[in-house]
């Protein structure tokens, strides 16, 4: 759980979090009310109250000033209901993967959107599109690593 502690801390103090209605299970649960951010971090978050203005302020900044930003949401991910709006004038983009979930990726986008997303990343990072890894085939084969940008390594030449 330590790996996810920063997320649960942010959920409890900035993002908000859903709760489960357990009333119908009263008397049956050994550990009621445990699916809450405060129960999922290894320290107390009580000194840090929830701030409902954090995310709206961040979204306002993203829309007004965020440059070269790429957001990918899954169409079927409940979190997509609060997808950030972006401005193309700031060279920023927002995509929804069809039938996608919380694990949506560039490689799940329709071909035209995938091409645009990879082209923008290529320009922003200053590397050729074919240097952006992992490939869609690696994802299809079951490897689900995070997107990384591959640069030429000394003695290896450019990767294809």
């Amino acid at each position: 759980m330590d790996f996810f502690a920063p997320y649960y801390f942010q959920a409890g103090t900035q993002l908000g979090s859903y709760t489960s209605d357990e009333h119908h299970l009263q008397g049956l649960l050994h550990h009621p009310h445990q699916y809450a951010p405060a129960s999922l971090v290894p320290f107390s978050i009580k000194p840090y109250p929830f701030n409902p203005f954090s995310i709206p302020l961040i979204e306002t900044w993203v829309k007004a000033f965020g440059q070269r930003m790429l957001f990918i949401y899954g169409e079927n991910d409940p979190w997509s209901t609060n997808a950030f709006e972006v401005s193309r004038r700031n060279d920023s983009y927002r995509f929804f993967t069809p039938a996608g979930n919380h694990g949506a990726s560039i490689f799940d986008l329709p071909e035209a959107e995938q091409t645009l997303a990879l082209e923008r990343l290529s320009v922003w990072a200053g590397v050729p599109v074919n240097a952006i890894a992992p490939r869609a085939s690696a994802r299809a084969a079951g490897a689900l690593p995070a997107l990384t940008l591959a640069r030429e390594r000394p003695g290896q030449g450019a990767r294809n």
Side-chain angles (χ1 to χ4, degrees):
M1 291 301 295
D2 287 348
F3 178 80
F4 294 104
Y7 164 75
Y8 287 115
F9 176 81
Q10 187 179 27
T13 60
Q14 296 176 333
L15 297 173
S17 182
Y18 52 86
T19 60
S20 299
D21 181 7
E22 299 175 350
H23 288 89
H24 63 289
L25 300 172
Q26 191 170 9
L28 299 174
L29 297 176
H30 295 281
H31 305 283
H33 311 295
Q34 292 303 300
Y35 193 70
S39 299
L40 300 169
V41 294
F43 52 85
S44 174
I45 65 172
K46 286 184 181 180
Y48 310 98
F50 179 72
N51 181 348
F53 303 108
S54 298
I55 297 303
L57 286 171
I58 292 168
E59 181 177 19
T60 299
W61 181 90
V62 165
K63 189 173 182 181
F65 305 108
Q67 295 182 8
R68 298 183 289 186
M69 302 187 92
L70 181 68
F71 294 91
I72 299 174
Y73 297 95
E75 176 185 49
N76 294 335
D77 183 356
W79 296 80
S80 294
T81 60
N82 291 319
F84 278 9
E85 290 186 34
V86 297
S87 173
R88 294 244 172 131
R89 76 177 190 282
N90 291 345
D91 197 15
S92 294
Y93 302 84
R94 177 178 77 172
F95 300 106
F96 293 87
T97 61
N101 59 28
H102 201 60
S105 161
I106 287 176
F107 299 109
D108 298 323
L109 292 171
E111 187 174 344
E113 292 179 349
Q114 183 181 126
T115 298
L116 174 60
L118 291 172
E119 184 272 334
R120 297 317 307 147
L121 286 174
S122 171
V123 168
W124 299 339
V127 297
V129 170
N130 66 355
I132 298 175
R135 301 269 183 187
S137 58
R139 185 164 174 81
L144 301 174
L147 179 68
T148 59
L149 297 177
R151 293 191 179 267
E152 185 175 320
R153 292 183 181 171
Q156 291 185 333
R159 286 195 213 170
N160 292 329

